[in-house]
Amino acid sequence: MAQRREEFERLIAQTIAHQSREMKACFRQIDESMAADRFVDTVVALERFSATLGKELKLSKFSDFDQAMKKGKPLVL
């Protein structure tokens, strides 16, 4: 039982480390694309971020995303 627990804890630590790296990369991509006015790349980074969390954006087109941002409400995954 102790061996299984150690393996489980090791796998959880690996998963958390991987997700942390992915999220940092997404935030970096979001910052860079917004600074360069590349909004499509921003949406791609947001999609990647939501996938890291096991979710997906409910906005299928850029125009949907643009309209959601103009409402000034939080983006819901």
Side-chain angles (χ1 to χ4, degrees):
M1 187 64 134
Q3 186 179 10
R4 285 186 180 174
R5 180 183 174 115
E6 287 175 16
E7 178 67 11
F8 175 76
E9 288 176 357
R10 185 184 66 75
L11 291 172
I12 292 297
Q14 284 179 343
T15 300
I16 291 170
H18 173 73
Q19 285 182 325
S20 177
R21 285 190 302 273
E22 283 293 312
M23 287 181 188
K24 287 177 184 175
C26 290
F27 287 131
R28 191 171 35 257
Q29 185 180 5
I30 290 166
D31 289 343
E32 291 171 0
S33 60
M34 290 184 74
D37 290 333
R38 294 189 325 261
F39 299 111
V40 173
D41 292 344
T42 303
V43 174
V44 170
L46 287 167
E47 288 175 336
R48 184 174 156 204
F49 180 78
S50 63
T52 301
L53 299 173
K55 303 287 184 177
E56 64 181 47
L57 291 179
K58 294 174 177 44
L59 309 168
S60 59
K61 300 180 288 193
F62 181 78
S63 59
D64 295 337
F65 174 79
D66 191 43
Q67 198 168 19
M69 292 293 97
K70 288 178 180 176
K71 290 181 181 177
K73 295 181 181 177
L75 184 63
V76 177
L77 300 179

